[in-house]
């Protein structure tokens, strides 16, 4: 049995979609039907506000280009310090062509300082961009509160990278003032190579040019949106996450749950730290048992590298290097959770004295 618990990196293609694609025949209403499904998933008011892209990363890029197109005279951008790497790369490129970037730091729970955010916004601020949820850390950002700050103090665009939040919690974008919202197909069991960008209705004409996206990809994203728009499944996933957490703490009392007391945890994600242990060693041992999870670091024999998001949190190095991330999906089961906790306990006891 293969147990896959790294869904924040990428979700496997839904078996229902695999079956549906075998019988796929493009229909005239395909794009509109898929737009409607995605709009319903995120709570958008108009289906035409959904623009299909080739990935979540392309959606992020288009969000910035939209703002630049409508307000080319503004050269200041505000973003959080825990943005997705694709957004960080875009911002780095923009800084090289004359844009000034202000990063808003977050606290130990991943929450931005609202006072600092407000003070960062200027008259020449083009766009404020925040992630709705950081998949690496498993924490949520209060993007609706941030939106209020942005709109109350400026005329800047507000972009939310919602890739990690979509399908995990109910959304109602139409009741916010969010201008742009990123969706990634590979985070909700659609194929790779498909994403979407929610664009507030008045900015939609900017996107009239076709991007020639394969119709089967659009169909698959619409299908995945329908599957993901299931509140009972969202609740069940959180219960499985909590079950895994309880079992790990019972079997490994010295394990530490990161962000355990935070109110802004992503409901499918669990970060467990084994201080002074090497997370890569544990990960490899679990993989040998066909259990696939993730660490918070990219390790090799010569160096231990941390992502920019992790570094911005100022977490203790020995804690981070011994942390595993478990991220669940609608296809995980109680049996998989029970097997995982038992195998993890066995592996950790075996490698207790192996340090990074």
């Amino acid at each position: 049995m293969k147990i896959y618990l790294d869904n924040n990196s990428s979700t496997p293609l839904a078996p229902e979609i695999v079956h549906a694609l075998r019988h796929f025949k493009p229909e005239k209403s395909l794009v509109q039907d898929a737009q409607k499904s995605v709009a319903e998933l995120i709570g958008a008011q108009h289906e035409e506000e959904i623009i299909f892209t080739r990935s979540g990363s392309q959606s992020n890029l288009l969000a910035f280009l939209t703002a630049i197109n409508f307000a080319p005279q503004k050269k200041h951008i505000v973003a959080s310090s825990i943005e997705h790497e694709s957004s960080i790369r875009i911002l780095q490129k923009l800084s090289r062509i004359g844009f000034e970037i202000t990063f808003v730091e977050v606290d130990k729970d991943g929450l931005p300082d609202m006072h600092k955010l407000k003070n960062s916004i200027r008259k020449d601020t083009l766009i404020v961009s925040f992630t709705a949820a950081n998949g690496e850390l498993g924490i949520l950002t209060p993007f609706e509160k941030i939106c209020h700050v942005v709109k109350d103090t400026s005329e800047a665009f507000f972009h939310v990278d919602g890739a990690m939040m979509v399908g995990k919690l109910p959304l109602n974008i139409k009741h916010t003032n969010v201008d742009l919202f990123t969706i990634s197909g590979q985070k909700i069991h659609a194929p790779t190579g498909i994403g979407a960008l929610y664009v507030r209705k008045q900015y939609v004409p900017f996107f009239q040019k076709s991007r020639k996206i394969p119709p089967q990809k659009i169909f698959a994203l619409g299908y995945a949106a329908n599957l993901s728009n299931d509140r009972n499944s969202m609740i069940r996933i959180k219960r499985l996450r909590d079950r895994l957490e309880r079992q790990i703490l019972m079997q490994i009392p010295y394990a530490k749950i990161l962000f355990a007391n935070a109110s802004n945890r992503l409901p499918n994600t669990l970060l467990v730290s084994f201080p002074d242990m090497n997370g890569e060693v544990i990960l490899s041992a679990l993989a040998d048992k066909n259990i696939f999870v993730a660490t918070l670091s990219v390790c090799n024999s010569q160096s231990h590298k941390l992502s920019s998001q992790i570094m911005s949190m100022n977490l203790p190095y020995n804690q981070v290097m011994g942390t595993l991330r478990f991220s669940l999906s609608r296809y995980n089961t109680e049996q998989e959770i029970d097997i995982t906790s038992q195998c993890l306990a066995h592996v950790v006891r075996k490698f207790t004295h192996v340090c990074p």
Side-chain angles (χ1 to χ4, degrees), residues 49-66:
E49 293 176 315
I50 304 301
I51 309 298
F52 294 112
T53 67
R54 292 188 178 276
S55 66
S57 296
Q58 187 183 62
S59 296
N60 285 337
L61 175 60
L62 285 175
F64 288 104
L65 292 178
T66 301

Side-chain angles (χ1 to χ4, degrees), residues 143-342:
F143 74 88
E144 293 179 352
K145 291 182 179 179
I146 296 170
C147 186
H148 284 303
V149 172
V150 174
K151 296 302 180 179
D152 287 347
T153 58
S154 75
E155 296 181 357
F157 281 81
F158 183 51
H159 166 242
V160 176
D161 182 350
M164 286 308 313
M165 188 178 186
V166 172
K168 298 177 180 67
L169 286 167
L171 285 163
N172 211 339
I173 294 299
K174 64 177 174 285
H175 290 155
T176 73
N177 285 319
V178 171
D179 298 303
L180 304 147
F181 188 94
T182 290
I183 300 130
S184 173
Q186 72 178 60
K187 304 298 185 183
I188 57 170
H189 300 284
T192 57
I194 184 67
L197 180 67
Y198 160 83
V199 181
R200 186 176 287 278
K201 193 173 182 180
Q202 61 261 42
Y203 306 120
V204 169
F206 175 63
F207 293 90
Q208 293 306 308
K209 186 178 179 180
S210 171
R211 274 167 297 285
K212 297 182 180 179
I213 297 170
Q216 63 268 30
K217 298 269 189 176
I218 294 175
F219 167 80
L221 182 58
Y223 202 122
N226 287 333
L227 290 174
S228 299
N229 197 9
D230 181 351
R231 296 199 179 194
N232 289 331
S233 179
M234 295 177 191
I235 293 169
R236 190 184 72 84
I237 292 169
K238 182 181 183 300
R239 287 175 178 167
L240 286 177
R241 190 277 307 271
D242 293 344
R243 180 187 183 96
L244 179 60
E245 179 177 318
R246 287 193 303 271
Q247 292 187 0
I248 290 174
L249 290 176
M250 282 192 298
Q251 297 180 62
I252 316 170
Y254 51 87
K256 178 180 175 60
I257 308 300
L258 270 62
F259 311 113
N261 298 318
S263 60
N264 61 321
R265 295 172 71 189
L266 200 57
N268 79 314
T269 307
L270 176 65
L271 270 66
V272 187
S273 177
F274 307 97
D276 299 318
M277 294 188 67
N278 189 327
E280 291 291 323
V281 172
I282 304 172
L283 178 141
S284 179
L286 289 175
D288 289 341
K289 297 177 182 292
N290 245 11
I291 300 172
F292 299 92
V293 299
T295 63
L296 292 189
S297 59
V298 180
C299 302
N300 57 47
S301 60
Q302 297 178 332
S303 65
H304 298 287
K305 297 180 180 179
L306 304 181
S307 72
S308 58
Q309 295 98 321
I310 298 296
M311 292 178 67
S312 72
M313 295 289 292
N314 294 316
L315 297 171
Y317 181 82
N318 69 326
Q319 183 182 83
V320 171
M321 298 308 297
T323 296
L324 296 183
R325 185 192 69 201
F326 302 83
S327 48
L328 286 62
S329 82
R330 62 185 292 114
Y331 296 106
N332 291 122
T333 65
E334 285 190 1
Q335 182 186 19
E336 291 179 337
I337 295 304
D338 296 344
I339 292 172
T340 297
S341 63
Q342 292 167 11

Side-chain angles (χ1 to χ4, degrees), residues 47-87:
E47 60 195 41
E48 61 267 28
E49 293 176 315
I50 304 301
I51 309 298
F52 294 112
T53 67
R54 292 188 178 276
S55 66
S57 296
Q58 187 183 62
S59 296
N60 285 337
L61 175 60
L62 285 175
F64 288 104
L65 292 178
T66 301
I68 292 170
N69 177 75
F70 280 94
Q73 75 282 4
K74 295 184 177 182
K75 300 292 183 180
H76 179 240
I77 297 172
V78 177
S80 81
S81 60
I82 56 171
E83 289 301 290
H84 187 269
E85 291 293 343
S86 68
S87 290

